[in-house]
Amino acid sequence: MAELEVKGVSFSYDNENTVLKNIDLSLHDGELISLLGVSGGGKTTLFNIISGLLIPDEGHVYLNGEEITGCSGKVSYMLQKDMLLPYWTVEDNVLLPLIIKGIKKREARLTAGRYFAEFGIDGTQKMYPSELSGGMRQRAALLRTYLFSADIALLDEPFSALDTITKSEMHRWYLDVMDNIRLSTIFITHDVDEAILLSDRIYLLGGKPGTITNEIVIAEPKPRRKDFNLTDEFLQYKREIISKIK
Amino acid sequence: MNAKLRSTINKAAPPVAAIIALIIAWQVICIICQIPKYLLPSPYDVIMAFEKDWTLMMSHAKVTLEETFIGLFFGIITGFIMASAMDRFEIIRKMIYPLIVVSQTIPTVAIAPLLVIWLGYEMLPKIVLIVLVVFFPIAIGLLEGFSSVDRDTIRLMRSMGANRLQIFIYVKLPNSLHYFFSSFKISVSYAVVGAVVSEWIGGTEGLGCYMTRVRKSFSSDKMFAVIILIAAISLLLIWLTVVLQRICMPWEKVKEKE
């Protein structure tokens, strides 16, 4: 059974400006899917609907068969910026979702403790976010996202603000971490290469109002080869996606 | 000499040198022009006034400080409650905000006699006057701090299932600390001035009362001494506020290092 299902979702602002029309998508256990499309195409609106921050005009969202339309706090959401709160230490930032759930700080610290090493940020617990590099901040934000929900994560262009080298390191690191933690993820990106490299499937979101125009399965098995983005298969996927976006 | 000490000396040296030069010029003018002491006492006369009345001034300062601290405490509480209410309820913001702005256009010297008539000559009218001058910058500063929280941060907190109280405690409150301390520094000096002004109007103790007495007896040297003492108290309290801010906001220290 799919872990997450979006069925027939449509949404408009003020009942006039229709942003999304009849969106269907599914996310299976441990899968990483990407939503690829132009800016202003309604991708973030769709995330807001899945995370329960917006209620769709039509359609439903199901998590493991249970309807969660309009319910926040069910899936974790990481925004474009890392959104680490500058006034809390890295540890406090990471523990925040557990504290919000009502878990005692000592217990939350025990739960989170082992993941700091796994996410490559061990030793930063007592630091403030301003002391971390861009890549480290993203790792901390991803750990916070993971601790909030170990089932489903929505990542809204999490690596877009990083420089090319850091971004490439983060991709490699992310694929390795995903192998271990098997977090089902929906990923928003504008970067075709990033989408092919990280995803099991890619949904193309296009048109006005936004609809799912295509679904592309990336057949390359995981863990991906280190030179996957230099192979002919990769370029074929890229050609296919670019032609369909056009 | 370490770099920090050198930097502090470099920063402090120019204003200290300017103050010393001013005091020397003042003393020289008083000697050369033979200005009467009741018109303009020399720095030496002021130091002598300090020496003569030090114990008396300290006992009055104690009362003024007591009023200042109590007034500040209740002023902060009032400002916090008002800012929180205005942040939480739009209708309260619309109702109260214009009123508190208007309330600040009324001069404190005009309200002080009324407060004495209504509340007597004891400490209460003085504290009420300090609360009236302190709550405004605190309320406005905090409200700005609460409102300036990044909308995406609120969105993230809501997606985590945080309720209003949790968003307030974990995001809005720490986010407003910077604004609070900026207002607090202003409030501290307002509070000291408020205490002195309220003591002018009525009462038997406090630096304001002492000031009124020495003014009536044309003891300008003591007048200068008490003015300097009030300024020194204000500066000391502002410095304490800066220390408190550093303790309460350790992340700012990290940013400075960066």
Side-chain angles (χ1 to χ4, degrees):
Chain A
M1 184 171 64
E3 275 204 22
L4 185 90
E5 266 190 298
V6 175
K7 281 188 179 169
V9 160
S10 298
F11 182 82
S12 60
Y13 287 103
D14 307 324
N15 288 323
E16 282 174 10
N17 177 20
T18 305
V19 182
L20 294 169
K21 183 97 184 144
N22 205 22
I23 300 288
D24 286 310
L25 63 83
S26 57
L27 174 70
H28 305 281
D29 183 30
E31 199 181 25
L32 195 155
I33 63 170
S34 288
L35 273 178
L36 194 63
V38 291
S39 298
K43 300 187 292 294
T44 301
T45 303
L46 182 58
F47 267 22
N48 284 337
I49 291 169
I50 296 172
S51 62
L53 297 178
L54 290 175
I55 298 170
D57 301 335
E58 287 169 33
H60 306 272
V61 181
Y62 299 95
L63 177 64
N64 294 327
E66 181 197 339
E67 178 155 13
I68 58 160
T69 318
C71 301
S72 60
K74 299 287 183 186
V75 296
S76 56
Y77 190 176
M78 179 173 160
L79 306 173
Q80 202 168 348
K81 295 174 275 178
D82 57 63
M83 305 304 297
L84 294 175
L85 303 173
Y87 24 80
W88 298 120
T89 60
V90 173
E91 186 179 52
D92 288 338
N93 266 287
V94 165
L95 300 186
L96 198 55
L98 301 178
I99 302 292
I100 287 171
K101 278 181 189 170
I103 297 168
K104 291 219 166 71
K105 194 165 179 183
R106 205 170 146 192
E107 217 174 297
R109 209 176 266 154
L110 280 175
T111 310
R114 69 189 176 96
Y115 292 108
F116 276 92
E118 197 160 345
F119 277 69
I121 50 169
D122 201 20
T124 64
Q125 285 90 328
K126 299 295 166 207
M127 289 179 165
Y128 284 98
S130 62
E131 295 175 274
L132 302 187
S133 65
M136 297 288 260
R137 289 176 68 110
Q138 290 303 105
R139 287 175 192 222
L142 276 165
L143 176 53
R144 179 182 61 193
T145 309
Y146 177 66
L147 285 175
F148 171 59
S149 161
D151 298 326
I152 307 270
L154 309 176
L155 309 184
D156 191 347
E157 298 186 62
F159 308 130
S160 63
L162 301 176
D163 62 84
T164 316
I165 295 170
T166 313
K167 194 173 179 177
S168 159
E169 281 171 8
M170 286 297 289
H171 288 157
R172 181 64 41 210
W173 168 82
Y174 190 71
L175 284 171
D176 288 344
V177 170
M178 279 299 129
D179 267 352
N180 294 330
I181 62 176
R182 291 192 58 76
L183 175 67
S184 310
T185 309
I186 308 181
F187 200 86
I188 285 181
T189 181
H190 293 114
D191 185 339
V192 177
D193 287 24
E194 185 175 70
I196 302 169
L197 189 66
L198 299 180
S199 316
D200 297 300
R201 282 183 296 130
I202 299 171
Y203 285 102
L204 301 184
L205 190 68
K208 287 250 175 200
T211 50
I212 301 285
T213 55
N214 287 96
E215 180 188 339
I216 292 150
V217 178
I218 308 294
E220 175 75 10
K222 283 186 174 174
R224 301 254 150 98
R225 284 173 283 165
K226 282 193 175 170
D227 61 348
F228 175 51
N229 53 347
L230 302 172
T231 59
D232 288 339
E233 296 102 295
F234 187 92
L235 287 174
Q236 265 176 3
Y237 283 125
K238 195 169 174 177
R239 265 187 223 110
E240 184 188 348
I241 290 167
I242 290 171
S243 68
K244 282 176 176 164
I245 287 175
K246 279 177 182 171
Chain B
M1 196 191 298
N2 64 30
K4 199 179 170 190
L5 185 64
R6 201 178 308 138
S7 147
T8 311
I9 290 172
N10 284 343
K11 245 191 229 171
V16 169
I19 290 168
I20 292 170
L22 194 73
I23 291 170
I24 292 170
W26 177 8
Q27 181 71 43
V28 170
I29 290 168
C30 286
I31 292 168
I32 292 172
C33 302
Q34 293 189 327
I35 302 170
K37 199 170 143 183
Y38 70 90
L39 273 184
L40 181 67
S42 69
Y44 177 76
D45 294 329
V46 176
I47 293 167
M48 286 299 107
F50 262 124
E51 198 194 357
K52 200 177 162 195
D53 264 10
W54 181 253
T55 318
L56 184 62
M57 272 194 239
M58 285 301 110
S59 69
H60 284 296
K62 199 181 151 209
V63 175
T64 304
L65 272 175
E66 203 178 324
E67 290 161 3
T68 303
F69 283 126
I70 297 172
L72 263 176
F73 176 76
F74 286 107
I76 290 169
I77 300 281
T78 312
F80 179 79
I81 292 170
M82 281 193 161
S84 307
M86 285 191 285
D87 178 64
R88 173 67 183 84
F89 303 103
E90 184 66 25
I91 183 77
I92 292 185
R93 187 185 189 134
K94 282 180 181 165
M95 282 164 66
I96 291 182
Y97 196 89
L99 284 181
I100 60 172
V101 171
V102 169
S103 77
Q104 295 307 301
T105 60
I106 303 166
T108 42
V109 277
I111 316 170
L114 286 173
L115 290 175
V116 169
I117 292 168
W118 294 333
L119 304 168
Y121 284 91
E122 299 303 316
M123 203 182 254
L124 187 61
K126 291 155 185 127
I127 288 166
V128 170
L129 190 81
I130 297 168
V131 169
L132 286 175
V133 291
V134 163
F135 89 90
F136 178 74
I138 297 287
I140 300 298
L142 278 174
L143 185 62
E144 207 178 326
F146 295 155
S147 317
S148 70
V149 172
D150 188 349
R151 287 169 65 92
D152 280 343
T153 306
I154 304 280
R155 196 152 64 100
L156 179 75
M157 292 293 286
R158 281 178 54 213
S159 80
M160 287 181 192
N163 57 35
R164 276 180 194 276
L165 185 64
Q166 285 171 324
I167 293 174
F168 186 76
I169 292 171
Y170 297 119
V171 179
K172 289 193 171 188
L173 215 48
N175 187 70
S176 65
L177 274 181
H178 193 79
Y179 297 84
F180 168 74
F181 277 105
S182 299
S183 305
F184 192 26
K185 278 176 222 164
I186 300 168
S187 299
V188 160
S189 52
Y190 278 13
V192 177
V193 173
V196 171
V197 168
S198 63
E199 286 163 357
W200 283 350
I201 309 299
T204 52
E205 287 176 303
L207 289 173
C209 292
Y210 175 84
M211 213 179 210
T212 314
R213 280 181 210 154
V214 295
R215 182 173 53 84
K216 282 179 180 166
S217 62
F218 290 95
S219 303
S220 299
D221 50 346
K222 289 178 182 171
M223 189 76 180
F224 268 79
V226 73
I227 290 170
I228 290 167
L229 181 62
I230 290 166
I233 288 172
S234 290
L235 281 176
L236 180 72
L237 292 180
I238 291 170
W239 176 76
L240 284 175
T241 311
V242 174
V243 173
L244 189 66
Q245 181 174 11
R246 281 179 177 267
I247 294 167
C248 294
M249 300 173 70
W251 60 92
E252 290 286 317
K253 213 174 163 184
V254 170
K255 255 193 222 168
E256 278 171 26
K257 272 189 200 166
E258 295 286 302

